[in-house]
Amino acid sequence: MFLPDSLPKLDWETYDSFDTTKQWEAFAIFLERRGVFLFGTDAYRNAPLAPFNPPASPFSATRDEDFIYRGSPSQGRRKSYWHAHPFCRYAVDDLGRDLYVKAVPKASDEWRILEFLTSPELRDPANHTIPIVSVLHHPDGETVFLIQAKWGSEWLWPDLESMNERYMVAHQLLEGLAFMHRNGIGHGVRLHFLHRLIFTLRTWSGITTTCETIQQPPTIESLNAILIFALLSSTLRRLSVQFPIDSSNHDIPSCRCVRPPLPFRSPEQDREGETFSLFAADVYGLGQILIYEASHAKAILPPEYNELLSRMIALEPRSRPSAEEALKCLQALMDVWQTEASKAMIE
């Protein structure tokens, strides 16, 4: 049996190697003693079902609450899964609530940015960064285990059924991005289309349902859902950047190996050997996400909303609004929309 002081030291030089099974077998004992039960262990299999109470706040679930909203008490417990990353594992806590465990080098930008964004000083409603449940320090002094609530890709994403929901989603995403930019963080938004947002934006204060348990899934609006930016290992280590808060220069060099996929990659990111504004690229990526979602709308969208999205994906970076400007524009559109909706109800 491995004792805490005999844990194997992580070899960050071979970070992309998937041969980390033995290390995680040792980590499992270390984590289990601290109430974190890794998938595949007896402790995981014997853990109780999570409390069947959705959290009043996704950022501070109490001991009698789950981290997520579930369609049924047993929904979400994993039978099998694929390790998405060699230094990440799924787990549950001693209450059976789903967790995502990441081993992160303490000297990395990933830890520095996450520690900054999730600090008490930045606990603000506009901060849509996924919260850290706890942090466990590896005895080697070089590694930390980040314990986060697991809101994974199996959770259901209901279609947006109304313009109110569409505005709510766009507002929260822009609000979160503007908050990051305001605090000097370029996310490097490695976005995919909306039904895969949960891979990189990890949505919800938590929702999981199935057609078997709930015939009519709840809507985003009825859940008062909160969207969260998840800063994943692959995203943070390669794309996210922290700039000085008072800096007006947010340029980074273009690099083929870290480009987001098309169509969410801005044109300037394809100019090998040049620099580009990461903040402007973030706005472009988010604009493409919202355009993709809008293309599935069942009704004609307000032309002003379409115009805002078009400006967000302007070919020339300087022609795009900042995240803050786009947020203010969207808020104005929402105010007009709500005023007109209220008048229509009276009439």
Side-chain angles (χ1 to χ4, degrees):
M1 177 178 291
F2 287 94
L3 298 177
D5 60 359
S6 64
L7 280 175
K9 186 174 180 178
L10 289 175
D11 183 3
W12 294 109
E13 295 300 319
T14 59
Y15 182 82
D16 288 325
S17 168
F18 278 72
D19 186 21
T20 58
T21 304
K22 291 296 182 183
Q23 289 173 313
W24 279 103
E25 288 176 356
F27 299 156
I29 300 171
F30 171 79
L31 294 169
E32 184 176 329
R33 292 174 178 173
R34 290 153 181 81
V36 178
F37 309 146
L38 294 185
F39 178 89
T41 64
D42 288 338
Y44 180 96
R45 286 186 285 270
N46 296 328
L49 294 178
F52 191 45
N53 299 311
S57 167
F59 301 107
S60 55
T62 61
R63 292 281 293 177
D64 63 344
E65 295 176 333
D66 199 349
F67 295 130
I68 62 173
Y69 173 93
R70 293 180 190 270
S72 70
S74 61
Q75 179 61 31
R77 183 57 61 85
R78 296 170 177 276
K79 300 295 189 293
S80 64
Y81 79 99
W82 175 69
H83 294 301
H85 201 279
F87 286 100
C88 298
R89 288 295 186 273
Y90 296 134
V92 294
D93 64 8
D94 60 331
L95 297 175
R97 299 180 296 188
D98 290 289
L99 299 173
Y100 191 66
V101 182
K102 295 192 290 185
V104 177
K106 201 170 183 179
S108 68
D109 288 343
E110 177 170 9
W111 168 238
R112 179 169 51 84
I113 293 174
L114 269 176
E115 186 180 35
F116 172 68
L117 283 175
T118 59
S119 63
E121 295 78 12
L122 292 188
R123 188 69 275 149
D124 182 288
N127 185 352
H128 288 256
T129 308
I130 189 169
I132 295 175
V133 175
S134 63
V135 176
L136 300 176
H137 292 267
H138 190 294
D140 68 7
E142 299 177 5
T143 305
V144 292
F145 294 100
L146 304 181
I147 315 299
Q148 297 177 315
K150 176 67 180 74
W151 303 335
S153 57
E154 74 279 20
W155 308 147
L156 180 67
W157 175 279
D159 291 332
L160 304 185
E161 297 183 356
S162 69
M163 198 61 210
N164 279 340
E165 290 189 344
R166 187 161 287 108
Y167 274 144
M168 188 199 82
V169 166
H171 187 275
Q172 290 200 33
L173 295 179
L174 275 170
E175 182 179 58
L177 189 61
F179 181 88
M180 286 190 186
H181 288 184
R182 203 157 53 241
N183 286 281
I185 305 298
H187 184 260
V189 197
R190 193 168 184 172
L191 297 177
H192 300 269
F193 37 86
L194 195 58
H195 75 263
R196 289 193 57 201
L197 269 177
I198 18 195
F199 280 100
T200 41
L201 296 185
R202 206 60 80 73
T203 45
W204 301 130
S205 59
I207 169 174
T208 175
T209 60
T210 65
C211 295
E212 293 77 22
T213 56
I214 291 184
Q215 295 300 319
Q216 182 60 42
T219 63
I220 294 175
E221 196 169 7
S222 68
L223 285 170
N224 194 25
I226 295 176
L227 279 71
I228 298 294
F229 280 80
L231 303 176
L232 304 182
S233 296
S234 58
T235 298
L236 266 179
R237 181 159 285 102
R238 296 172 180 172
L239 291 176
S240 296
V241 177
Q242 185 170 20
F243 300 94
I245 292 179
D246 57 356
S247 175
S248 60
N249 182 3
H250 308 116
D251 289 353
I252 62 172
S254 176
C255 179
R256 183 178 300 276
C257 63
V258 296
R259 293 171 183 168
L262 290 171
F264 313 106
R265 181 170 71 242
S266 61
E268 63 271 18
Q269 289 177 277
D270 280 330
R271 298 165 190 161
E272 193 72 31
E274 297 185 16
T275 60
F276 66 94
S277 168
L278 185 56
F279 283 16
D282 279 351
V283 170
Y284 182 96
L286 185 51
Q288 287 287 12
I289 279 291
L290 297 176
I291 285 174
Y292 179 88
E293 187 286 316
S295 70
H296 291 75
K298 299 175 183 177
I300 298 176
L301 303 182
E304 297 83 2
Y305 181 67
N306 288 329
E307 193 273 334
L308 171 61
L309 301 188
S310 295
R311 289 197 293 121
M312 289 176 67
I313 63 163
L315 295 180
E316 174 53 50
R318 293 182 181 179
S319 299
R320 299 170 203 153
S322 66
E324 194 74 50
E325 292 167 344
L327 177 62
K328 290 179 180 178
C329 180
L330 182 68
Q331 184 61 64
L333 296 181
M334 293 173 68
D335 292 343
V336 171
W337 177 267
Q338 292 168 358
T339 299
E340 293 178 350
S342 298
K343 289 181 179 177
M345 289 181 64
I346 295 174
E347 296 173 356

